[in-house]
Structure formats: structure tokens, C-alpha cells
Amino acid sequence: MFSFILKRVLASIPTLLVVYTVTFAIAHLTPGSPWDSASANRPMEPAAKAALDAKYNLDAPLHIQYVGYLWGAVQGDLGPSFRDPTQSVTDIVKKFLPTSLALGSMAIALAIVMGLLLGVLAALTRSRALETAILFFCTFCVSLPTYIITAVLIVTLGVGLGLVPTFGWKGLFSTSAIVPVVSLALAPMAAIARYCRNCVLEVMHKDFVRSARAKGVKRGRIIAVHILRNAIIPVVTVAGSYASSVLVGSFFVESIAGVPGFGRYFVLAVSARDYPVIIATTLVYAVIVVLCNLLVDIAHFIIDPRTREDVR
Amino acid sequence: MRKKVFLASMLAALSSAAPTFSTPAAADEGQTFRMIVQEPRFMDPNLVDDGGVAIQTQLFEPLAKIQNDGTLVYLQANSIERSSDGLTWTVKLKPENKWSNGEPVTAMDWEYSLKRILDPSIASGNAQFLTEIKGAKAYNSGETKDASAVHIKAVDDFTLVIETERVAPSFLAKLALPYITPVPQAVVAQWGERWTLPEHIVSNGPYKLVARVNDQSIEMNVNSFYAGKKPTIDTIRMTVASGDICEAQLRAYEAEEIDFATCIPIQDIQRVRQDATLAKELITNLDSGTWWVQYDNSHAPWDNKDVRHALSLAIDRNALSSVISDGTAAVANTIVPPGIPGANEDDAIKGNVETARELLAKAGYPNGAGFPPFTLTVRDSASQPIVAQLLQQMWSENLGINATINVMELKAFAAWVNARKNAPYDMITALWVSDYADPENWYGDLITDDYRNSHFRNEDFASLIKQAKVATDETQRIETYRQANKIFEEQQPMSALYRETSLWLVKPYVKNLRPDTTLRLYPIRDTEIVR
């Protein structure tokens, strides 16, 4: 198990290096420099621009900047933020990532619980109408873009009913979290529910389930031990891939609902051409994707004995 | 056990995220003013050169201000006198002025701050308001590193003497700008760039910053040391929005979460104006700014005046205003807005679509035949892609010429326009908003200094602007600008489209909140909440 994890961690290093290189290149190739203001009446004086370039080492050749930033990052120094010189990029990551992680964790937990419940219910119910309703609801949730869901929830729950604030963030355990959590949870919940239903239907007709029934094992035990345990394997894969995108935060959800999270900050950094923040946030995103994939593999390792054989 | 530890650590992580962004200590809601703002690019007042100045004016106060009616009111200054030769300006400060830490605001602070604005290493966009000061240009452009070569001198604790390079009639208007405010020398020296953090910052205006969470909230309390008119609102609570700030504001305003909204999304203007309650709370104010379509005057076919006239006369400006603002934007037929001395709407070119067709034929393109394909480049804002489509349609239907539209992201557009100094293009839409109500801000900064790269050259116009810049007789100065305006409109290097109207929503219990100066500031100092 340890060597398996070590192998996976080492294999992620080239991936992160490629991500860094591509992000660095795209950030620097995008038209507009950090010092071009989209809102000021006048362009910046050349002398002032040169002074800022010198201050942030942007006057050095690109390959020197590339190596310099990488060397700093390896040592834990992610550089200064151009957009806000009072904060370092490390400060920004520490400040904004926990909010997105907390929000994303809550959303993915809600998605897994609700997704499994709906999936099992859709598979086992004898009511055709209920099954159709669940499937319709799931298709609806997967098809709707999150920014529409967020806007609709704010208008109905916030402006219409006054149950939640229309904007802003007062912590995860406040009414301000309802809209972003639900918005983020709906699409993964629907996907998990559909996967879960299909897997349960498939496993239900396997020989070992029939044998268990024949032996007189109770229905609840068959569902929990024999069906769900086997049906959950593909569900874990789906949940893992959704988790990586939900955990780092969604720009749309965070912007519309006013959540000061990582996803929103990333897009603000791109608009501001804040190169160190763009690179750092992308790298953090890549690390989270790698970690989520690793966790999915570990989960498979635990749930599915066949994987353990493969690893050995 | 392991499960319990996991759950406990998850809960700890979740709850630790919560207080980080919890609202600052609750104040008496009756004395709290709530609004939504965009994250300011800077909290350092010497650096703020954009709309963020509306936030800064609550914290930092300039020497004076020019009111909506054009009269000057002193704020931090007791007097600003100009010498008889017009070159030396003596500023007497009010000795009772204090920073929010109780220290006096001195002439030394002002000398330090004005030179700091000019220091190229801090790259302040506001340096351009001070370049008329003797030695300022050389220092700001990096020619000299010696700040003492700039003729700004604190002669005693409360007297500041400034010398200008030449007679500069508009200098007083620039000194009265909200962009020109002092910073506390001792605090900046102690904390460097981090002096603007809430725990360090001190300010000289009616409010002081007490809390700020980046990209989430800004909170200000009354500055008890402020020597001017004391505010009646104790606390200003600003929530920071990104993305479409107008949409966030309208939703929060309708849900009674904020007391004031500074704009309305385009798609909601009609609904708000037709809503019985919201319509009563709507305050409209015509901006001192103009949107126009600008041709690259340096090459064909745009170097032909008849072509420029034809394109301008083929535009239905009422239709533009109707689509992008439900008719609240004012139709603009001339570039320089009314209220700026020299502006004259009678100078607008005359004619209609028929005249436009004749002029295009005269230029060699009857019914648009043979007109080269061209590109209209616009920024990706809420209104400009729509404006571009309407112009494309009007020119196609009225003149038979076809434009291709190129929409660019905001920063990319700004960089692209700045890079057009010597590079050809076809046309763009652009905006200029008055920094101060003096003609030099338009005829000088915008047109002569050509910040938008229109490549417009006209000797008669240039000579008149040169005369006006140093004219000491005010009547003669304005008359010279009027003559220049005539030439400019007749040449039509840019065709005015419309002037935006600020649409504010203000709750009925909020009194005395009015747009202030040409910059549409909202001085909360003078505002009251009467429930």
C-alpha cells in the first residue's frame, strides 16, 4: 500500500511540472500586462511601468522568470501578489482556499448522501412514477448550469422569501451557505444518483445476490452488504472526479453568491494578470486533482479486494 | 475511534473557516450605512486613479473640492493663493486638521505625499495631475532621482508652496481633485506597503478604516479627530462583490440588505422605472462623460472627412440609448459634454441619413460600393458589444457598408488601444469621463495628448489649444476653447454616441446622499439615516 502511494506521488511530479509550464506560458502570452488598467482614464507612464517591471522582476528574460519562480515555489515562496502588494500569494492561498474546501466538502458530502439515497430508491422502488420522477430530477440537475441554479435560488429564497441573504458570506454554518452548497451539490448528486441506480440494477441480478436471497438473508442486509458494497465502486470514481472540481470552488457560484473563495479569486487573478497568483492557484488546483485521484484509488483499494491483488 | 477523530478534525476545519469571514462586530443598524462595492484596486490614496476613489473619499480628504455648480469649497486648506505672475501657489492648511491617530496633518505630510505621487517607483496614475509642477516631469519620468528638484516645499508646519513650470490656469482644479490627498509620512515609513492594512492605516477624512477582509468586506467608523463637519452615520459597512456588481446590488437592495445601490443592470432598468416603489427611490444624474466611436484618422478611408461625417450621420443615437439604457442615457452629438467650458452642442454636424449617403458617394463609395472591409473593436463590457451590433446594423442598412465586430476582454482591450500609438486600426468605441470640470481635461489630456490614439492632427486646433493652455484671461481662454470645439466637431475625428446617466437607488430613510462633483462621488459624511 505504501509503495503504491509513493509511486503515485512520484508520478505526479512530472504532471505538476507540465501544469506549471503550460500555465506560465499561457499567463505570459495572454494580451495585457498586470499594469494595464481597464478602468483608469489614462495609460500608465512608461517610466512607472518600467519601475514596476523591475520591482517584480518582469524585466528579466522569460526563462529566468520561469526558473526563478519555480525555485521559489519549491522552497515554499509563491511570490508577491501584483493585484494586492500587501499580501503574499501564500497569504492568499491560506485565506481563500479553506473557504472553498469547507464549502466544497459540505457540497460533496451532501451530493454523496443524497445521490446514494436517490439512486438506491430509483433502483429498488416498485413505483414506475417515482423512478421516472427521480430520473427526471437528476437529468434536470445535471443539465442546468450552476450559475442559473445559483441565480434562481437567490431570487426565490433570498429576494422572494427572505430566507437567505442575497449576497455575502457569514461562514459555513449560516444561512449564507445554503445557496452555494446546494448549487454546488446538485450536479454531482444527480450524477452519483444515476450511476448508483444503474450499478444497483446491475448488481441486483448477479448470482451472489440471488444466492443470498435463496439462503433467506434479510432484504435490508442484502441491500447494504451485498448490493451497495459492490455498486459503490463506480460511484466512488464519479464522486472523486466531481470532488476535485467542487473542492477548489466555482467562480460562478462564488461570484454570484458572494463567497470569498478560491475559485472566485482565481478568475479575479486572471482578469488582473496577477501572474504569481494565477500560477499558484493553478498548481494548488492540480495538487487537489492529484490528491482526489489518489484518494479514489485508495478507496478502491479498501472497497474492492480485486484491486489489492493488482497492486501486489 | 478513528472515525471520531476524522469527524472532529473535519468539524474543526469547517468551523475554522467560518469565523475568518464572519461579519465584523455588529453596530447599531440605525447608524450603519450598508452598500456593495467592487474590490478597490488600491487602498493607498496616492495610487487610486479609478472608480475606487469613491471609497477613498470617505477616508481621505483633499485640499478643496469643486462643487457641482463650479464653486470651490476648501476642505483641508484654509486658502490657496496664486501669485501675480501665476507661477507660485501658496496653500495654507487648517492647523486643526488631524490624522485618525490624533497627530496633526502638516505641510510636511503634504510635501511628502505630492512627491510620493510623482515618484516613478510607486507608479501612481495620479502623477499626471501634478506634472505642471516645476521639476515634476523630470522626476516622474526618471530623468532625475532627486525629489528635492521638484518645487514643492513645506515652508512651515501649515504652509505649502508649489511652483509651476508655466502659467497653468487649470492647476487649481487639479489640486482640488479627490485623487490628490495626503498620506501620513511616519506611518508609511514604518510599515511600507503594508501601511494600508486596517491595523496600521491612519486617514485624514471623516472616516477611518477599522476592518477589511480582502474581496469580502470593508468597514469604516467615524474618525473622532476629524476637524470638518462631523458625520451622523457611525459606521459604513461595504460588502465587496466581483462579477456583475450591478446585479448583486439590485438583488441586495430589493431584499433590504443594503441602503444604496450605485447602478442598475441594463436588463432591469425598465422594470425598476416601472415599479411604483423603486421608481420613487431612483436618483438619476447625467454623467460628465461621453461614449464615442473613434476612427483611426491616420489612414484611408478614415482620413477622409466626408467618410467620418457619413458614418456619424448614419447613426440613430436615440435607438442606441433606448436599447442599452431604456432611454436613460442622453443622446450625444458632440464629444465634450455640457458643463465643460468650451463645449457647444450647436457645433454638432448637421444632416440625416440622406446626407450621409451623399457624403459617402462624394468620398467615392456610392451606396457603399468599393468601401474596404473594416473592423470595429470594442471592450467586453455590458453595453459595448450591443452598441457594436447596433452600429454594424445601422451602417449596413443606411450606407451599405459592412463592419466586422471584434470584442476584447477588458484588460486586453486596454493594452491593445495603448499599443495603437503608431499602429493602424479601423475603429473603436471609447469613453472619457471628466476628472475635473476644466476644458483642459478634454481638449488637452484626451484630444491633444491623444490618450485614446485617434491619430487626429489639425494645426489650427493644436494652435488654439496651445494658446488656451497658458491664457491668463479666463474669458479669452474659454473663447479659445469654443473656437477649438468648432474645429474639432467639424473635423469629426470621433463621433459622439451618448452620455451615461448614473442610476442610483437610495432607500427613503437615507437623506442627503447626492452625486458630488464630476466624479459622481457619494460623500457619506453629509448623509443621514432618518427612520
Side-chain angles (χ1 to χ4, degrees), chain B residues 137-158:
Chain B
K137 234 174 199 162
Y139 179 56
N140 184 238
S141 64
E143 261 176 59
T144 171
K145 301 254 179 260
D146 181 13
S148 66
V150 184
H151 286 236
I152 304 170
K153 184 86 192 138
V155 292
D156 63 42
D157 281 356
F158 302 108

Side-chain angles (χ1 to χ4, degrees), chain A residues 125-279:
Chain A
T125 183
R126 292 194 176 93
S127 157
R128 187 81 188 149
L130 181 63
E131 187 189 1
T132 311
I134 291 172
L135 290 179
F136 176 78
F137 177 64
C138 290
T139 310
F140 185 74
C141 290
V142 166
S143 318
L144 269 186
T146 46
Y147 60 87
I148 291 185
I149 295 175
T150 315
V152 168
L153 286 175
I154 288 175
V155 170
T156 50
L157 300 180
V159 182
L161 301 171
L163 297 175
V164 297
T166 61
F167 194 83
W169 178 249
K170 296 194 169 83
L172 195 60
F173 300 108
S174 70
T175 49
S176 67
I178 293 175
V179 170
V181 166
V182 173
S183 305
L184 284 172
L186 283 183
M189 179 205 74
I192 290 169
R194 291 179 69 92
Y195 263 89
C196 180
R197 172 186 166 272
N198 293 346
C199 294
V200 168
L201 285 177
E202 196 184 317
V203 175
M204 265 169 71
H205 303 293
K206 295 264 181 191
D207 289 346
F208 61 88
V209 176
R210 210 174 301 146
S211 311
R213 270 204 205 105
K215 281 197 283 182
V217 181
K218 283 187 180 159
R219 191 162 186 252
R221 192 173 160 76
I222 292 176
I223 293 171
V225 178
H226 298 277
I227 299 180
L228 258 187
R229 175 134 193 213
N230 284 287
I232 211 165
I233 297 165
V235 171
V236 167
T237 314
V238 178
S241 62
Y242 269 103
S244 55
S245 61
V246 168
L247 283 175
V248 289
S250 151
F251 168 70
F252 291 118
V253 174
E254 292 181 351
S255 289
I256 299 169
V259 179
F262 208 58
R264 182 172 83 150
Y265 206 91
F266 172 68
V267 179
L268 292 175
V270 172
S271 306
R273 310 291 190 272
D274 195 343
Y275 302 145
V277 179
I278 296 171
I279 295 169

Side-chain angles (χ1 to χ4, degrees), chain A residues 33-34 36 39 41-42 51 55 83-84 86-87 99 154 165-167 169-170 256 264-265 268 271 273, chain B residues 14 21 23 41 50 120 128 193-194 214-216 241-242 251-252 257 409 411 415 433 435 441 445 452:
Chain A
S33 86
D36 289 307
S39 52
N41 248 355
R42 302 162 169 72
K55 181 178 173 184
R83 188 167 161 254
D84 181 1
T86 62
Q87 300 189 95
T99 310
I154 288 175
T166 61
F167 194 83
W169 178 249
K170 296 194 169 83
I256 299 169
R264 182 172 83 150
Y265 206 91
L268 292 175
S271 306
R273 310 291 190 272
Chain B
L14 296 180
F21 296 103
T23 316
R41 273 173 73 217
D50 58 9
Q128 288 160 88
E193 279 181 333
R194 297 173 79 85
N214 290 71
D215 288 283
Q216 202 202 345
S242 57
R251 283 198 311 259
E257 290 166 16
E409 184 264 353
K411 231 174 211 274
V433 181
D435 294 301
N441 189 227
D445 298 342
R452 297 286 183 271

Side-chain angles (χ1 to χ4, degrees), chain B residues 292-303 308 371-378 404 406 408 413-430 446-447 450-457 492-495:
Chain B
W292 67 86
V293 61
Q294 171 180 304
Y295 320 97
D296 178 355
N297 290 265
S298 67
H299 68 89
W302 318 112
D303 57 357
R308 301 195 294 267
F371 199 86
F374 62 99
T375 304
L376 169 59
T377 305
V378 298
T404 303
N406 179 23
M408 292 176 90
F413 179 79
W416 184 83
V417 172
N418 292 342
R420 297 304 103 190
K421 212 161 194 62
N422 301 306
Y425 63 96
D426 287 322
M427 59 168 71
I428 59 171
T429 60
L446 168 66
I447 304 166
D450 202 14
Y451 282 130
R452 297 286 183 271
N453 294 324
S454 70
H455 305 145
F456 167 62
R457 303 281 177 272
Q492 201 71 191
M494 337 164 161
S495 298

